[in-house]
Amino acid sequence: MTEESLTDDLQTVLNRMAETLKQRLSARGTPDPVMIGIHTGGVWVAEALHRRLGLSQPLGKLDISFYRDDFSRIGMHPQVKPSSLPFGVDDRHIVLVDDVLYTGRTIRAALNEIFDYGRPASVTLAVLVERDGRELPIEAQVAGQHLSLRPDQQVKLRGPDPLRLEVASIKEQP
Amino acid sequence: MSSAADAPRLVSAPGPLPASLQFNEEGRLRHLLSIEGLSRELITEILDTAESFASMNAQSVKKVPLLRGKTVVNLFFEASTRTRTTFELAAKRLSADVLNINISASATVKGESLLDTLRNLEAMYVDMFVVRHEASGAAHFIARHVAPHVSVLNAGDGRHAHPTQALLDMFTIRRHKGDFGALRVAIVGDILHSRVARSQIHALNILNTGEIRVIAPQSLLPAHVESLGVHVYNDIRAGLRDVDVVIMLRLQRERMEAGLLPSEHEFFQLYGLTQERLALAKPKCLVMHPGPANRGVEIDSRVADGPQSVILEQVTYGIAVRMAVMSMIMGGSVNP
């Protein structure tokens, strides 16, 4: 991927995502789904999409710390936040939103958590960034942009205001 | 009658216990034995994590997979219903398997047989002991002797500590009152025999509580209680004035030697929490009790069941707080 995709104005990317999502939802006959963002970056992206789509239900927020598959190795995430789904999920069409789709493990955990709240009619996955490196059969239906990164690189969404993407080499992390 | 005297081989005295025993080399919480030695940051982290577990009550499946495949042993040498039940539920809601072992606190329970019990359980590859014992320091003793893969959680040892009770009380206070710095908290009753009071006082101090008061007759106060950073009141009317939280303690009749109190009736007359006395506190003063309450001894039923009472909330939050502690202790036991 070229450098300019990184510097793409995120507002433009979000507008494009919202448009794609809108078309997709109306084509499916589910124009007013419930939306759930995954803490923390996913919530920021979800807030932006939620506004643009004008959804009637309030935004749900999920912290997947209790469902991570690496808990027994690295322990509890130090800043776990409460999950709040201010609606029943049974028979609802859900748009699940995250900032970066990489291995797919976060989405696996989020799906497990959602199913502990009930049985949704469908789940659509929307992500701001997808990068290569999937370890599970999980793909996004709507992706803002695709990034090709080396395994030693990390992409992170900083925010909430303004939102900006940051690519760093993992070795440089403290 | 002190039955603790029957088990002196466990420890010579509770004394100052090594706080470092609670943490591993990386500074991660490995055992929870007492509130002493915990930082304000760590307590806040425990309460924040508990907040997330409390929100789980909205799930139709009230269970998370964190401790799947782990085995938690409730090792109770002293009778308890509420504490054991909430520990059991907490472990089960974390998907752990739970074994309840009640060992009657008879004179035959000596140091050697306790170690034998531990070795046998360790040989079954269990992961955590939740220990309640009548002897102060019992949980420390066990923590010092367990295999490296086992964690110990103190569920009450003698007069020494009951850390998860104090943490759930802090959680309850924080939910209702927010910042501890502005609060005046009174602990009333049998401070002398109360491990709950001791742990509460440490926790309230670590959280920088505005003022901590203890209200009790002199015979039910430990010597030099002021050194814990509390103000002492022998008169309940003076002590309750303008407090934001009042914590009543259970009169521990089973631990009491003769002569400490004239009678329960007289105790209620002098120190029982009634509506009329509660009116001396701030209008929205919380009424707390670790349970089980002796109605008509330390607290009037109308107060225990009244609008300011959060006694049943304490029970509910006890599960979330214990889930938080258990998951923090058990997580990351294998180095990444």
Side-chain angles (χ1 to χ4, degrees), chain A residues 12-70:
Chain A
T12 315
V13 176
L14 288 165
N15 287 339
R16 200 166 60 219
M17 280 179 77
E19 199 45 50
T20 314
L21 203 50
K22 192 179 276 176
Q23 283 166 14
R24 197 185 165 87
L25 292 168
S26 57
R28 289 191 48 163
T30 57
D32 193 23
V34 295
M35 187 174 275
I36 299 174
I38 300 175
H39 272 300
T40 305
V43 171
W44 297 333
V45 178
E47 279 165 349
L49 293 175
H50 193 270
R51 245 191 331 267
R52 284 168 170 77
L53 292 176
L55 302 180
S56 60
Q57 293 286 326
L59 181 66
K61 297 168 187 177
L62 220 52
D63 188 309
I64 53 108
S65 299
F66 298 154
Y67 290 81
R68 288 164 57 127
D69 57 8
D70 53 3

Side-chain angles (χ1 to χ4, degrees), chain A residues 63 65-68 70-85 90 108 112-113 115-118, chain B residues 28 45 48-49 51-53 55-56 58-61 63-67 70 324 327-328 330-336:
Chain A
D63 188 309
S65 299
F66 298 154
Y67 290 81
R68 288 164 57 127
D70 53 3
F71 168 77
S72 61
R73 288 195 297 155
I74 65 171
M76 184 71 80
H77 190 280
Q79 266 140 14
V80 45
K81 297 182 175 65
S83 293
S84 79
L85 299 186
D90 276 326
R108 194 283 307 166
N112 278 24
E113 180 162 358
F115 276 75
D116 277 352
Y117 281 87
Chain B
R28 210 189 260 274
E45 191 184 324
D48 289 346
T49 306
E51 201 66 61
S52 291
F53 283 117
S55 74
M56 250 180 65
Q59 295 182 201
S60 58
V61 178
K63 214 170 164 107
V64 293
L66 281 180
L67 299 190
K70 305 279 187 189
S327 56
M328 286 169 71
M330 302 271 270
S333 46
V334 181
N335 288 329

Side-chain angles (χ1 to χ4, degrees), chain B residues 249-266:
Chain B
L249 298 172
R250 185 172 67 87
L251 201 59
Q252 305 208 20
R253 292 175 275 197
E254 75 277 12
R255 284 183 224 279
M256 217 161 269
E257 291 144 45
L260 281 179
L261 275 183
S263 75
E264 288 176 355
H265 178 71
E266 187 160 344

Side-chain angles (χ1 to χ4, degrees), chain B residues 189-200:
Chain B
D190 185 2
I191 314 280
L192 178 65
H193 298 94
S194 179
R195 55 194 173 212
V196 173
R198 237 162 293 258
S199 288
Q200 285 167 340

Side-chain angles (χ1 to χ4, degrees), chain B residues 191-267:
Chain B
I191 314 280
L192 178 65
H193 298 94
S194 179
R195 55 194 173 212
V196 173
R198 237 162 293 258
S199 288
Q200 285 167 340
I201 290 168
H202 287 302
L204 288 166
N205 271 323
I206 293 168
L207 294 172
N208 292 334
T209 304
E211 187 191 353
I212 310 168
R213 299 179 179 177
V214 294
I215 306 175
Q218 212 57 42
S219 62
L220 292 181
L221 284 169
H224 311 300
V225 65
E226 300 87 351
S227 65
L228 293 174
V230 298
H231 293 147
V232 178
Y233 289 81
N234 297 128
D235 173 17
I236 189 167
R237 292 176 165 278
L240 285 182
R241 208 166 295 279
D242 292 329
V243 301
D244 300 276
V245 178
V246 54
I247 303 174
M248 300 305 298
L249 298 172
R250 185 172 67 87
L251 201 59
Q252 305 208 20
R253 292 175 275 197
E254 75 277 12
R255 284 183 224 279
M256 217 161 269
E257 291 144 45
L260 281 179
L261 275 183
S263 75
E264 288 176 355
H265 178 71
E266 187 160 344
F267 184 82

